[in-house]
Amino acid sequence: MSGLSIGQVAERTGLSVHTLRFYEREGLLAQPVRRGAAGHRVYDEDDVDWLGVCIRLRASGMPLTDIRRYTELVRAGQGNEAERLEVLREHRERVLAQRHELDECLKLITYKVGIYESRLGLRDHVPDCAPLSQESRPG
């Protein structure tokens, strides 16, 4: 049986062997992992592609329960696209809110960097990025 070993998949995805086993136990793989003649896990390109989806969803903050739900829907096949869409839309809204919060944080940090660069003579003027509130002015 040809395919990829768990070590090869770990190398290709950047996930540890332990994490790959965890993902399998948690039901996060779109298809059951095949086993070779010696009982070793054998992965294919579809598995690697699916793990790439899981990695992105996880990196964007999707909880494992939501990834598991999405995986279950994919595994179930056609007919539940509306449910899949809802899972992804809800997550997209969370990511957009996180991105907005990070943008606000970056504005404050940029403003503070400008203040210190100005104080140290590294900049002629402070950037036009006022902090969010009076509380953020000290320091």
Side-chain angles (χ1 to χ4, degrees):
M1 181 182 286
S2 67
L4 301 165
S5 71
I6 194 168
Q8 290 169 317
V9 173
E11 186 175 314
R12 289 198 35 201
T13 62
L15 297 172
S16 68
V17 168
H18 175 77
T19 300
L20 289 169
R21 289 182 183 130
F22 173 78
Y23 276 26
E24 181 181 355
R25 277 193 314 274
E26 291 297 310
L28 302 180
L29 298 175
Q31 58 189 9
V33 176
R34 297 173 306 155
R35 299 287 180 152
H40 298 286
R41 290 170 175 84
V42 179
Y43 297 85
D44 61 25
E45 290 301 324
D46 289 340
D47 295 319
V48 174
D49 292 343
W50 181 255
L51 286 165
V53 170
C54 291
I55 289 166
R56 289 289 184 184
L57 292 175
R58 192 72 186 121
S60 66
M62 183 181 269
L64 288 176
T65 54
D66 290 354
I67 297 173
R68 185 179 306 108
R69 175 70 180 136
Y70 182 66
T71 301
E72 289 167 356
L73 291 167
V74 168
R75 218 182 286 131
Q78 293 183 342
N80 60 27
E81 288 80 2
E83 291 173 78
R84 293 185 211 184
L85 177 61
E86 186 59 29
V87 169
L88 293 174
R89 279 182 171 166
E90 287 175 7
H91 184 61
R92 180 179 61 187
E93 290 305 311
R94 287 191 302 266
V95 170
L96 288 169
Q98 289 172 344
R99 188 169 79 175
H100 174 74
E101 182 64 26
L102 285 173
D103 286 342
E104 293 303 312
C105 293
L106 184 57
K107 286 178 190 176
L108 173 66
I109 293 166
T110 300
Y111 177 77
K112 291 293 195 179
V113 165
I115 288 173
Y116 291 113
E117 287 177 345
S118 179
R119 287 182 186 172
L120 295 171
L122 302 172
R123 178 187 290 255
D124 291 335
H125 68 283
V126 176
D128 191 20
C129 253
L132 300 175
S133 70
Q134 291 293 72
E135 294 174 15
S136 59
R137 288 194 191 279

